[in-house]
Amino acid sequence: MSTLLNASIIDVSNNDGYHLWVVYLAFPKIVKYTAKAYVSTGKAIVLKCTGFSKTKPIMIAWIKNNMTLKPSQNEMIMQENVTEYSVMSQLIMNSTMYNSNDTYQCRVSNPFSSVTSQDIIVIFQEPPQRVRHPIVQNITARSITVSWLPPLHDGYSVISNYTVQLLNPLMTPLPTTCNSSLLKNTCVVSTTGTTITNVQPYTTYVIKILAVNAIGYSLATEVIAKTDEDVPTSYPVNVNASTLSATSVYVSWKAPPVSSHHGIIIAYDVEYRSIPWNRTDIIRVNGSRHSMTLTNLIPFTTYKIMLRAATIIGYGPTSPHKTAATLQAG
């Protein structure tokens, strides 16, 4: 048997002295190639193709949009022998040389024949689309439960988690903590819902939700929520008491600090206790008032006067007492 370029030729003789030449052509073949490639925006594409042929030389060409590529500054082609009869080639293209409509193929050839791959699918990865249909539910004074649906498209990269951000109405970011967070002091969850726990009562918040994959963040989906009221966490301030007569004392005050209201102040309780009789009375006044006159008091008696504010949920703490003494009768 002898070997020629792309054929093996066998001399088969018979008893009559005739010779039969049998020719086996050595066609090239593609052993493997990148059938599907994932690439993110701004990154290089790397495609690989391995060819085999017993006839040499083996050559691999790359085809882009039905045109054979030549090595250039932006399209690098590297080829190396893998075994005696196989060659592997890589096509490396920088991000300026491709777009989503391009088609690619690899062609393996020897001097007498060639074979071309099917179109190589290049999938361009990107950040996911927005999350859908956020719903705020189970609102309390100290927590907000929010849920959502995943994006319709993940950008050809698996969504790894969701980031939930808390902002005030001026869109200033606030610290955000939540249940089942993957990170401390931030809200990053793997599920499509969570409960935000670091909110204040009777406060309006903007909640942003972003889906995250290996490429980056989606655009934010926003939802607005307002927490429920709670009891005040401070007492009325600037409490003053001044004697008017033997049976009356004038009392004035200011509302607790605004940050401690935690709702609408609907009432004040004015408590006054006589000394040494230790008799206590309470008068409730509307939350819009900031002064009143205590009447029908015992003459020539000292009183301790204290106040507390209330929202619809209940009362806050009691203020330190002020003292006032009524005048002697007569």
Side-chain angles (χ1 to χ4, degrees):
M1 180 182 71
S2 60
T3 302
L4 299 176
L5 293 177
N6 72 324
S8 296
I9 303 176
I10 301 175
D11 181 6
V12 181
S13 301
N14 58 20
N15 295 331
D16 297 328
Y18 294 99
H19 295 272
L20 176 63
W21 299 91
V22 180
V23 179
Y24 295 92
L25 297 177
F27 292 105
K29 65 179 180 179
I30 298 173
V31 178
K32 61 181 178 180
Y33 68 100
T34 305
K36 183 183 295 186
Y38 293 88
V39 61
S40 57
T41 303
K43 302 295 184 180
I45 290 180
V46 179
L47 305 179
K48 297 181 180 181
C49 184
T50 301
F52 175 88
S53 174
K54 283 196 172 183
T55 301
K56 300 178 181 179
I58 312 169
M59 295 163 287
I60 297 180
W62 289 96
I63 302 166
K64 176 182 177 181
N65 300 331
N66 299 317
M67 295 182 64
T68 301
L69 291 175
K70 295 181 180 180
S72 68
Q73 182 179 359
N74 295 313
E75 295 167 325
M76 183 184 303
I77 298 175
M78 298 186 298
Q79 186 164 304
E80 62 180 11
N81 293 327
V82 179
T83 67
E84 181 181 359
Y85 299 111
S86 63
V87 170
M88 191 273 284
S89 177
Q90 288 190 93
L91 171 63
I92 304 173
M93 290 179 294
N94 69 32
S95 59
T96 63
M97 296 305 298
Y98 59 77
N99 61 64
S100 59
N101 297 320
D102 292 337
T103 59
Y104 300 90
Q105 298 166 303
C106 75
R107 176 176 293 156
V108 178
S109 61
N110 61 27
F112 298 95
S113 185
S114 67
V115 60
T116 303
S117 72
Q118 294 182 346
D119 286 350
I120 295 171
I121 300 173
V122 178
I123 296 175
F124 293 87
Q125 296 175 303
E126 58 188 2
Q129 293 180 352
R130 299 173 188 258
V131 305
R132 299 171 293 139
H133 307 305
I135 299 174
V136 172
Q137 52 195 3
N138 297 333
I139 298 177
T140 71
R142 301 286 177 174
S143 67
I144 300 172
T145 298
V146 59
S147 62
W148 57 89
L149 293 178
L152 284 174
H153 198 286
D154 63 6
Y156 295 107
S157 177
V158 176
I159 293 174
S160 56
N161 56 69
Y162 299 91
T163 294
V164 180
Q165 299 175 342
L166 202 62
L167 302 93
N168 65 22
L170 298 178
M171 303 306 287
T172 303
L174 303 171
T176 311
T177 59
C178 66
N179 293 342
S180 304
S181 179
L182 303 175
L183 298 175
K184 190 176 181 180
N185 299 324
T186 58
C187 185
V188 178
V189 296
S190 58
T191 57
T192 55
T194 189
T195 298
I196 302 169
T197 54
N198 65 320
V199 293
Q200 295 297 312
Y202 201 61
T203 303
T204 299
Y205 293 98
V206 178
I207 301 170
K208 284 187 175 183
I209 308 159
L210 303 91
V212 185
N213 63 14
I215 310 305
Y217 291 83
S218 72
L219 296 175
T221 298
E222 298 177 3
V223 63
I224 296 175
K226 187 173 185 177
T227 50
D228 291 343
E229 295 188 54
D230 202 352
V231 298
T233 53
S234 188
Y235 44 75
V237 296
N238 295 346
V239 178
N240 288 296
S242 55
T243 302
L244 294 178
S245 68
T247 58
S248 63
V249 170
Y250 177 77
V251 181
S252 64
W253 64 90
K254 290 186 178 180
V258 174
S259 61
S260 68
H261 283 195
H262 301 327
I264 299 173
I265 302 298
I266 61 171
Y268 292 100
D269 272 8
V270 182
E271 178 181 335
Y272 54 104
R273 183 179 304 160
S274 59
I275 302 172
W277 314 110
N278 202 30
R279 174 183 171 180
T280 299
D281 292 286
I282 297 175
I283 297 177
R284 179 173 299 174
V285 299
N286 188 279
S288 62
R289 292 183 60 178
H290 294 96
S291 66
M292 69 167 300
T293 299
L294 301 177
T295 59
N296 299 319
L297 302 179
I298 303 171
F300 204 52
T301 302
T302 298
Y303 285 88
K304 287 183 177 180
I305 301 168
M306 298 161 283
L307 283 90
R308 59 179 183 166
T311 65
I312 194 172
I313 305 301
Y315 282 92
T318 302
S319 69
H321 73 268
K322 290 287 184 176
T323 58
T326 54
L327 299 176
Q328 189 173 355

